[in-house]
Amino acid sequence: LQKDDCLLSALPLFHSFGLVMGLFLPLACGRRIVTSLSPLDCEKLAQAARSDAPTVLLSTPTFLKTYIRRIPRDAFGTLRMAVTGAEKLPNETATAFR
């Protein structure tokens, strides 16, 4: 992470990936966190991405597939990277999101 990074996460905190990456990591590193209550509420997630200019997206490959279909590309215009976990990231999903 860079010193000015802002993390966007809608991952549930009851899951280890959501808890560690979406809460503990930003707190431990002193980074700003932008959240949305549900990873499936694409409208709220896009709104958070547009208004808070995150540079890092935390997601799972399954949610990324949904975002590719349902969130306009410009909503993620400030992202520097996407970090995925909890399952294997298919190459075609990585390429499509990139």
Side-chain angles (χ1 to χ4, degrees):
L1 293 177
Q2 297 178 0
K3 69 177 187 149
D4 293 329
D5 275 335
C6 172
L7 287 78
L8 173 61
S9 176
L11 297 171
L13 297 180
F14 63 79
H15 190 281
S16 61
F17 183 57
L19 184 63
V20 172
M21 295 299 289
L23 182 63
F24 292 158
L25 174 69
L27 288 175
C29 295
R31 300 303 183 271
R32 205 163 48 101
I33 310 166
V34 177
T35 62
S36 181
L37 291 178
S38 170
L40 298 176
D41 190 341
C42 292
E43 185 176 320
K44 294 268 191 218
L45 191 68
Q47 185 178 36
R50 285 187 174 113
S51 65
D52 292 293
T55 55
V56 179
L57 173 67
L58 303 174
S59 186
T60 66
T62 297
F63 295 143
L64 276 186
K65 289 177 188 177
T66 300
Y67 303 159
I68 290 165
R69 290 190 321 271
R70 297 185 52 208
I71 296 179
R73 292 182 71 143
D74 68 313
F76 292 131
T78 60
L79 290 182
R80 186 172 59 76
M81 80 170 97
V83 178
T84 64
E87 61 187 283
K88 184 178 179 181
L89 175 63
N91 287 335
E92 56 272 7
T93 302
T95 300
F97 191 79
R98 200 177 286 126

